Each structure stands twice: as C-alpha cells, then as structure tokens.
Amino acid sequence: GAVVSQHPSWVICKSGTSVKIECRSLDFQATTMFWYRQFPKQSLMLMATSNEGSKATYEQGVEKDKFLINHASLTLSTLTVTSAHPEDSSFYICSVRDSGKETQYFGPGTRLLVL
Amino acid sequence: AQSVTQPDIHITVSEGASLELRCNYSYGATPYLFWYVQSPGQGLQLLLKYFSGDTLVQGIKGFEAEFKRSQSSFNLRKPSVHWSDAAEYFCAVGSYNFNKFYFGSGTKLNVKP
C-alpha cells in the first residue's frame, strides 16, 4: 500500500499557540488527502478533505478558521491548529486516497497535547 | 443515515483461540466495507476490503471477513489468534468514490498467553 508519513509524531504546546502538522504521501501523488481526528477511546472522525490547489472542504461542525489546511503540492498537506486550547488535544491522522486501489491509506498520526 | 456499529468495545481471547469481531452497518447505497487495525500510537493498517463478488474475503495476517447483506454485517474472523494481533480494530464503510469513510467505534482486542 501507499506510504504516508506525518510530522511531528508528538507535539506539546502551550494554550494559545499554533501548531502545524505535515502529512506527506511518499510514493505517489495524491490530489486528495483527508484529515481525521480521534479522541481517546473513540473512533476517527473526518474533519476535512484537502484538495491540491484548491480550498479544503470541511465537515459540519469543524471550524475552518481554527483548523487551517493547505494542500500546496501533490505530496504534502498541512493542518495548522490555530490558537490551540486544551480541548484540541487529540490524535490527528491524515490519509490519502488511492482511487486505483479503491481505498485510503493512513498516516501514523500526530498526538497533540495542549497545556 | 450512514453508520457503523461495533457492539463489542473490548474482547479478550486466549492465544490460539478463534476470533470473531462484529460489525453492522447502515448505508443507503452499495456499501464498500473495510477492516483496519490500529496498534497503539500508530495509524491504521488495511486488513481487507469488500466491494462485490464473493462474500467471503481474505485479508492479510490470516484474517477474513464475511459480508451478509441480509444482516447488514461484515464480521471479521481469524481461526487462531496470535499475541501480536492485540490491537484495536475498526470497521468502516466507504462511499463510492472513497472520499467518505464512516468508522465504527472500534473493538480493542486483548490476547491472553
């Protein structure tokens, strides 16, 4: 399957600061990437769909100004959590769609802790 | 509305015993069904998927799943569990273009020695 990396794997920040998370597709060009959020002991919830060269599409209830997504190239999408608060602490996972394989491939995730 | 239900939050089995993880779905169109496994602190790894055809699908690591349309189920099975199978398992249904994935709440598998 596709190889997807995320950086950083762990981040701890102070409340009010912004944090950028990178998602890279290492072995194919991904026009579409996805960002998920996973709270402890819960399932993944889709936050937004990241489209290369255009604006991201956000799911209902996700604040676009809070979670900024940039998909500047076919191999990189970034999620910036702006003015982070403790309730933003979560596990953020990106995925890439491989329509040729008819599935999504997931990155290893980034654990964010906001103090 | 689309939804995926995994009724078992935790399951504990002995090593070498058989395993069945349950998954029920509600989806308005033809379902594309997936099982993923997540080890602690890791992303999700695809175990297997079903789109059409033979309702019994084989996956990696010795897993298989059976699609039963009449029961709206897609249960995951393994005949003999290994200690390394201890992880969390997620069932998911995907839209026709694989842009929307709806995940169940997961089943955490513990394996006793």
Side-chain angles (χ1 to χ4, degrees):
Chain A
V3 180
V4 182
S5 71
Q6 284 184 238
H7 177 81
S9 55
W10 262 99
V11 57
I12 301 174
C13 68
K14 293 182 179 180
S15 186
T17 61
S18 294
V19 174
K20 180 184 285 188
I21 303 170
E22 294 183 347
C23 175
R24 292 184 184 272
S25 174
L26 298 183
D27 55 358
F28 77 95
Q29 295 180 327
T31 55
T32 306
M33 294 185 175
F34 306 87
W35 287 97
Y36 292 82
R37 183 174 182 177
Q38 184 181 27
F39 289 105
K41 301 183 180 180
Q42 295 187 29
S43 188
L44 284 76
M45 297 297 292
L46 179 65
M47 297 175 66
T49 302
S50 168
N51 302 295
E52 189 268 336
S54 64
K55 291 183 179 179
T57 304
Y58 291 81
E59 294 299 299
Q60 191 172 10
V62 177
E63 300 174 59
K64 63 177 76 172
D65 295 330
K66 172 79 171 174
F67 300 99
L68 300 178
I69 292 173
N70 187 311
H71 192 156
S73 78
L74 290 171
T75 58
L76 173 65
S77 175
T78 60
L79 169 69
T80 301
V81 183
T82 62
S83 186
H85 290 282
E87 57 265 30
D88 299 324
S89 299
S90 189
F91 194 50
Y92 293 88
I93 300 177
C94 72
S95 71
V96 302
R97 188 188 73 181
D98 184 351
S99 58
K101 298 287 177 62
E102 299 172 317
T103 189
Q104 292 184 17
Y105 294 99
F106 291 81
T110 296
R111 191 164 299 281
L112 169 64
L113 178 61
V114 184
L115 302 176
Chain B
Q2 299 86 349
S3 67
V4 179
T5 302
Q6 293 179 246
D8 303 305
I9 299 174
H10 281 99
I11 283 185
T12 299
V13 299
S14 297
E15 190 168 17
S18 63
L19 170 72
E20 182 169 29
L21 302 182
R22 295 183 291 165
C23 172
N24 292 94
Y25 68 90
S26 173
Y27 195 69
T30 301
Y32 296 98
L33 296 160
F34 304 82
W35 274 100
Y36 286 88
V37 59
Q38 184 182 36
S39 297
Q42 303 292 314
L44 279 74
Q45 181 183 21
L46 179 67
L47 287 176
L48 47 79
K49 59 188 178 184
Y50 171 79
F51 297 156
S52 64
D54 192 347
T55 56
L56 185 64
V57 293
Q58 303 297 320
I60 62 172
K61 304 184 179 184
F63 286 92
E64 65 178 27
E66 185 172 13
F67 170 62
K68 293 184 177 180
R69 184 183 297 276
S70 61
Q71 298 177 19
S72 297
S73 69
F74 188 56
N75 294 348
L76 181 71
R77 300 194 295 248
K78 187 170 185 177
S80 178
V81 170
H82 188 262
W83 64 267
S84 59
D85 294 325
E88 189 150 21
Y89 292 79
F90 290 94
C91 180
V93 60
S95 63
Y96 74 97
N97 60 0
F98 311 103
N99 276 357
K100 295 280 189 179
F101 270 52
Y102 302 92
F103 286 87
S105 53
T107 297
K108 188 167 185 179
L109 173 65
N110 294 317
V111 181
K112 293 191 299 184

mmCIF file of all heavy atoms in Angstrom, chain B residues 3 24 30 36 41 46 48 50 53-54 68-70 73 91 96 98-99 101 104:
data_model
loop_
_atom_site.group_PDB
_atom_site.id
_atom_site.type_symbol
_atom_site.label_atom_id
_atom_site.label_comp_id
_atom_site.label_asym_id
_atom_site.label_seq_id
_atom_site.Cartn_x
_atom_site.Cartn_y
_atom_site.Cartn_z
ATOM 1 N N SER B 3 -23.964 4.770 9.134
ATOM 2 C CA SER B 3 -23.386 4.485 10.449
ATOM 3 C C SER B 3 -22.773 3.098 10.455
ATOM 4 O O SER B 3 -23.139 2.235 9.652
ATOM 5 C CB SER B 3 -24.442 4.587 11.557
ATOM 6 O OG SER B 3 -25.393 3.564 11.424
ATOM 7 N N ASN B 24 -21.767 -4.076 12.161
ATOM 8 C CA ASN B 24 -23.020 -3.861 11.450
ATOM 9 C C ASN B 24 -23.019 -2.459 10.860
ATOM 10 O O ASN B 24 -22.487 -1.533 11.466
ATOM 11 C CB ASN B 24 -24.216 -4.035 12.384
ATOM 12 C CG ASN B 24 -24.382 -5.460 12.834
ATOM 13 O OD1 ASN B 24 -23.889 -5.861 13.893
ATOM 14 N ND2 ASN B 24 -25.041 -6.259 12.015
ATOM 15 N N THR B 30 -24.837 0.951 -2.215
ATOM 16 C CA THR B 30 -23.995 -0.247 -2.148
ATOM 17 C C THR B 30 -22.795 0.036 -1.248
ATOM 18 O O THR B 30 -22.064 0.987 -1.481
ATOM 19 C CB THR B 30 -23.496 -0.621 -3.548
ATOM 20 O OG1 THR B 30 -24.616 -0.860 -4.384
ATOM 21 C CG2 THR B 30 -22.616 -1.864 -3.479
ATOM 22 N N TYR B 36 -9.824 -2.187 9.383
ATOM 23 C CA TYR B 36 -8.498 -1.654 9.639
ATOM 24 C C TYR B 36 -8.069 -2.083 11.044
ATOM 25 O O TYR B 36 -8.895 -2.276 11.932
ATOM 26 C CB TYR B 36 -8.494 -0.127 9.583
ATOM 27 C CG TYR B 36 -8.603 0.458 8.196
ATOM 28 C CD1 TYR B 36 -9.842 0.695 7.625
ATOM 29 C CD2 TYR B 36 -7.452 0.790 7.472
ATOM 30 C CE1 TYR B 36 -9.942 1.245 6.352
ATOM 31 C CE2 TYR B 36 -7.552 1.340 6.211
ATOM 32 C CZ TYR B 36 -8.788 1.559 5.659
ATOM 33 O OH TYR B 36 -8.883 2.110 4.397
ATOM 34 N N GLY B 41 -0.630 4.055 19.269
ATOM 35 C CA GLY B 41 0.163 5.155 18.754
ATOM 36 C C GLY B 41 0.441 5.101 17.268
ATOM 37 O O GLY B 41 1.205 5.922 16.752
ATOM 38 N N LEU B 46 -4.758 -1.335 6.625
ATOM 39 C CA LEU B 46 -5.859 -2.039 5.981
ATOM 40 C C LEU B 46 -5.673 -3.549 6.097
ATOM 41 O O LEU B 46 -4.626 -4.081 5.725
ATOM 42 C CB LEU B 46 -5.938 -1.642 4.508
ATOM 43 C CG LEU B 46 -7.020 -2.317 3.679
ATOM 44 C CD1 LEU B 46 -8.411 -1.890 4.138
ATOM 45 C CD2 LEU B 46 -6.837 -1.985 2.182
ATOM 46 N N LEU B 48 -8.478 -5.796 5.135
ATOM 47 C CA LEU B 48 -9.189 -6.338 3.984
ATOM 48 C C LEU B 48 -10.320 -5.406 3.614
ATOM 49 O O LEU B 48 -10.652 -4.485 4.359
ATOM 50 C CB LEU B 48 -9.739 -7.750 4.288
ATOM 51 C CG LEU B 48 -10.475 -7.971 5.602
ATOM 52 C CD1 LEU B 48 -11.903 -7.463 5.565
ATOM 53 C CD2 LEU B 48 -10.479 -9.453 5.966
ATOM 54 N N TYR B 50 -14.169 -5.224 1.034
ATOM 55 C CA TYR B 50 -15.168 -5.896 0.215
ATOM 56 C C TYR B 50 -15.905 -4.854 -0.616
ATOM 57 O O TYR B 50 -16.421 -3.857 -0.087
ATOM 58 C CB TYR B 50 -16.180 -6.645 1.092
ATOM 59 C CG TYR B 50 -17.350 -7.163 0.287
ATOM 60 C CD1 TYR B 50 -17.217 -8.325 -0.475
ATOM 61 C CD2 TYR B 50 -18.554 -6.484 0.250
ATOM 62 C CE1 TYR B 50 -18.266 -8.788 -1.245
ATOM 63 C CE2 TYR B 50 -19.605 -6.945 -0.520
ATOM 64 C CZ TYR B 50 -19.462 -8.097 -1.262
ATOM 65 O OH TYR B 50 -20.496 -8.548 -2.029
ATOM 66 N N GLY B 53 -18.908 -9.315 -5.335
ATOM 67 C CA GLY B 53 -18.439 -10.660 -5.634
ATOM 68 C C GLY B 53 -18.528 -11.578 -4.440
ATOM 69 O O GLY B 53 -19.462 -11.483 -3.629
ATOM 70 N N ASP B 54 -17.568 -12.462 -4.336
ATOM 71 C CA ASP B 54 -17.551 -13.451 -3.265
ATOM 72 C C ASP B 54 -17.692 -12.749 -1.910
ATOM 73 O O ASP B 54 -16.934 -11.836 -1.592
ATOM 74 C CB ASP B 54 -16.243 -14.239 -3.315
ATOM 75 C CG ASP B 54 -16.264 -15.471 -2.419
ATOM 76 O OD1 ASP B 54 -17.185 -15.585 -1.579
ATOM 77 O OD2 ASP B 54 -15.364 -16.308 -2.549
ATOM 78 N N LYS B 68 -22.653 -10.152 4.848
ATOM 79 C CA LYS B 68 -24.009 -10.712 4.828
ATOM 80 C C LYS B 68 -24.984 -9.553 4.652
ATOM 81 O O LYS B 68 -25.290 -8.820 5.605
ATOM 82 C CB LYS B 68 -24.303 -11.475 6.126
ATOM 83 C CG LYS B 68 -23.473 -12.745 6.286
ATOM 84 C CD LYS B 68 -23.879 -13.516 7.532
ATOM 85 C CE LYS B 68 -23.092 -14.831 7.626
ATOM 86 N NZ LYS B 68 -23.461 -15.613 8.845
ATOM 87 N N ARG B 69 -25.464 -9.431 3.441
ATOM 88 C CA ARG B 69 -26.336 -8.301 3.127
ATOM 89 C C ARG B 69 -27.612 -8.340 3.952
ATOM 90 O O ARG B 69 -28.075 -7.307 4.421
ATOM 91 C CB ARG B 69 -26.676 -8.307 1.636
ATOM 92 C CG ARG B 69 -27.503 -7.101 1.184
ATOM 93 C CD ARG B 69 -27.876 -7.212 -0.290
ATOM 94 N NE ARG B 69 -26.696 -7.195 -1.136
ATOM 95 C CZ ARG B 69 -26.092 -6.080 -1.543
ATOM 96 N NH1 ARG B 69 -26.549 -4.915 -1.183
ATOM 97 N NH2 ARG B 69 -25.037 -6.157 -2.334
ATOM 98 N N SER B 70 -28.173 -9.524 4.138
ATOM 99 C CA SER B 70 -29.452 -9.637 4.848
ATOM 100 C C SER B 70 -29.337 -9.197 6.299
ATOM 101 O O SER B 70 -30.318 -8.767 6.910
ATOM 102 C CB SER B 70 -29.955 -11.079 4.786
ATOM 103 O OG SER B 70 -29.031 -11.949 5.417
ATOM 104 N N SER B 73 -24.158 -7.005 7.893
ATOM 105 C CA SER B 73 -22.994 -7.276 8.745
ATOM 106 C C SER B 73 -21.757 -7.565 7.909
ATOM 107 O O SER B 73 -21.851 -7.989 6.750
ATOM 108 C CB SER B 73 -23.268 -8.455 9.682
ATOM 109 O OG SER B 73 -23.356 -9.680 8.947
ATOM 110 N N CYS B 91 -13.995 -1.155 11.880
ATOM 111 C CA CYS B 91 -14.764 -1.452 10.686
ATOM 112 C C CYS B 91 -15.174 -0.114 10.068
ATOM 113 O O CYS B 91 -15.425 0.859 10.792
ATOM 114 C CB CYS B 91 -16.007 -2.260 11.080
ATOM 115 S SG CYS B 91 -17.098 -2.718 9.736
ATOM 116 N N TYR B 96 -18.847 5.620 -2.619
ATOM 117 C CA TYR B 96 -18.489 5.046 -3.919
ATOM 118 C C TYR B 96 -17.177 5.602 -4.456
ATOM 119 O O TYR B 96 -16.453 4.941 -5.183
ATOM 120 C CB TYR B 96 -19.618 5.321 -4.918
ATOM 121 C CG TYR B 96 -19.673 6.754 -5.384
ATOM 122 C CD1 TYR B 96 -19.083 7.134 -6.587
ATOM 123 C CD2 TYR B 96 -20.296 7.729 -4.619
ATOM 124 C CE1 TYR B 96 -19.116 8.449 -7.007
ATOM 125 C CE2 TYR B 96 -20.328 9.041 -5.030
ATOM 126 C CZ TYR B 96 -19.743 9.401 -6.225
ATOM 127 O OH TYR B 96 -19.773 10.700 -6.619
ATOM 128 N N PHE B 98 -14.764 6.742 -2.434
ATOM 129 C CA PHE B 98 -13.779 6.560 -1.357
ATOM 130 C C PHE B 98 -13.348 7.876 -0.735
ATOM 131 O O PHE B 98 -12.274 7.978 -0.156
ATOM 132 C CB PHE B 98 -12.574 5.756 -1.868
ATOM 133 C CG PHE B 98 -12.996 4.517 -2.583
ATOM 134 C CD1 PHE B 98 -12.972 4.454 -3.969
ATOM 135 C CD2 PHE B 98 -13.489 3.428 -1.883
ATOM 136 C CE1 PHE B 98 -13.413 3.319 -4.637
ATOM 137 C CE2 PHE B 98 -13.925 2.298 -2.542
ATOM 138 C CZ PHE B 98 -13.882 2.240 -3.916
ATOM 139 N N ASN B 99 -14.203 8.890 -0.853
ATOM 140 C CA ASN B 99 -13.922 10.165 -0.201
ATOM 141 C C ASN B 99 -14.482 10.239 1.201
ATOM 142 O O ASN B 99 -14.017 11.012 2.024
ATOM 143 C CB ASN B 99 -14.497 11.315 -1.024
ATOM 144 C CG ASN B 99 -13.549 11.732 -2.133
ATOM 145 O OD1 ASN B 99 -12.446 11.204 -2.247
ATOM 146 N ND2 ASN B 99 -13.975 12.654 -2.954
ATOM 147 N N PHE B 101 -15.354 8.080 4.546
ATOM 148 C CA PHE B 101 -15.240 6.850 5.305
ATOM 149 C C PHE B 101 -15.947 7.052 6.632
ATOM 150 O O PHE B 101 -15.696 8.023 7.341
ATOM 151 C CB PHE B 101 -13.761 6.504 5.563
ATOM 152 C CG PHE B 101 -13.144 5.654 4.489
ATOM 153 C CD1 PHE B 101 -13.236 6.017 3.160
ATOM 154 C CD2 PHE B 101 -12.467 4.491 4.806
ATOM 155 C CE1 PHE B 101 -12.674 5.237 2.164
ATOM 156 C CE2 PHE B 101 -11.892 3.705 3.815
ATOM 157 C CZ PHE B 101 -11.995 4.079 2.493
ATOM 158 N N GLY B 104 -16.599 2.657 12.617
ATOM 159 C CA GLY B 104 -17.184 2.217 13.868
ATOM 160 C C GLY B 104 -16.329 2.718 15.027
ATOM 161 O O GLY B 104 -15.264 3.305 14.827
#
